[in-house]
Amino acid sequence: MPQIFTYVTSVWQVMMMGALHSDYYGAAVIGALLKERGLTLALAESCTGGLVSGRITDIPGSSAYFRGGVVAYHNEVKEKVLGVDAGDLKIYGAVSPQVARAMALGARNLLGADIGLSVTGIAGPEGGSPEKPVGLVYLGLSTPEFTMDRELRLSGDRSQIRTETVREALEMLHEYLTRK
């Protein structure tokens, strides 16, 4: 019962902060859950260019649970910093479930976090193909128990795709934390 009370109290405190932006509210709830559970988070971002990290660090006190993030826009950074297999990049491409999972695992290991979250995709307006159109995004989530991915098919302009990707990434993280 105390754990439920603490969570409800944390959510109430977040609501009372006057958070008008849903991403801010989502990041605040995630922060409360991470802090409450004593978990840490690391991020690896490509197409969002640090926007998810920015949303997480918008929350005061996020240093209690956010270890850091890597903006791995270039494949060389994915490979050399995050440890993504060069073969996976060549065979599957940077925008693939394999690379999303490897990026999440790499961020978690590199930064010594409990949870790794990654984003890789094609925000447009160029870069798409019939096989991998603009708006194709993969999220990766790595924990000590498992590493998984999620495919998104988004529409809109570059800004809309990136904004929706941030929301989806936060939602994926929230789903994991509320199941735990």
Side-chain angles (χ1 to χ4, degrees):
M1 188 70 160
Q3 189 175 24
I4 294 170
F5 177 75
T6 303
Y7 175 73
V8 170
T9 301
S10 298
V11 172
W12 178 252
Q13 289 169 339
V14 168
M15 291 170 60
M16 298 288 54
M17 289 168 59
L20 300 176
H21 195 279
S22 63
D23 289 350
Y24 181 91
Y25 171 76
V29 170
I30 286 166
L33 290 168
L34 288 166
K35 196 170 182 180
E36 187 174 277
R37 288 165 171 78
L39 297 171
T40 56
L41 173 66
L43 285 163
E45 301 182 64
S46 185
C47 67
T48 50
L51 291 174
V52 181
S53 296
R55 190 56 66 211
I56 293 292
T57 58
D58 280 344
I59 308 306
S62 58
S63 62
Y65 49 84
F66 183 58
R67 299 290 304 220
V70 175
V71 176
Y73 211 71
H74 194 278
N75 283 351
E76 190 173 324
V77 177
K78 291 176 181 75
E79 182 183 344
K80 292 188 176 173
V81 177
L82 295 173
V84 175
D85 185 82
D88 285 350
L89 286 164
K90 186 174 183 170
I91 294 166
Y92 305 111
V95 181
S96 65
Q98 294 84 356
V99 170
R101 290 191 305 267
M103 287 173 65
L105 178 61
R108 183 167 71 86
N109 290 337
L110 176 70
L111 298 171
D114 300 302
I115 302 166
L117 181 65
S118 70
V119 174
T120 184
I122 305 168
E126 292 91 28
S129 69
E131 300 83 31
K132 293 186 179 185
V134 169
L136 176 64
V137 175
Y138 289 96
L139 306 177
L141 180 71
S142 180
T143 74
E145 298 88 27
F146 64 86
T147 299
M148 63 172 285
D149 62 81
R150 178 176 292 171
E151 179 180 301
L152 307 174
R153 299 278 178 153
L154 306 173
S155 60
D157 63 23
R158 182 177 180 81
S159 178
Q160 291 167 323
I161 290 169
R162 288 165 40 111
T163 298
E164 186 59 27
T165 298
V166 171
R167 285 192 190 108
E168 292 284 346
L170 293 175
E171 178 59 30
M172 183 180 191
L173 182 56
H174 183 263
E175 287 171 14
Y176 168 72
L177 292 169
T178 54
R179 278 194 307 237
K180 192 163 174 59

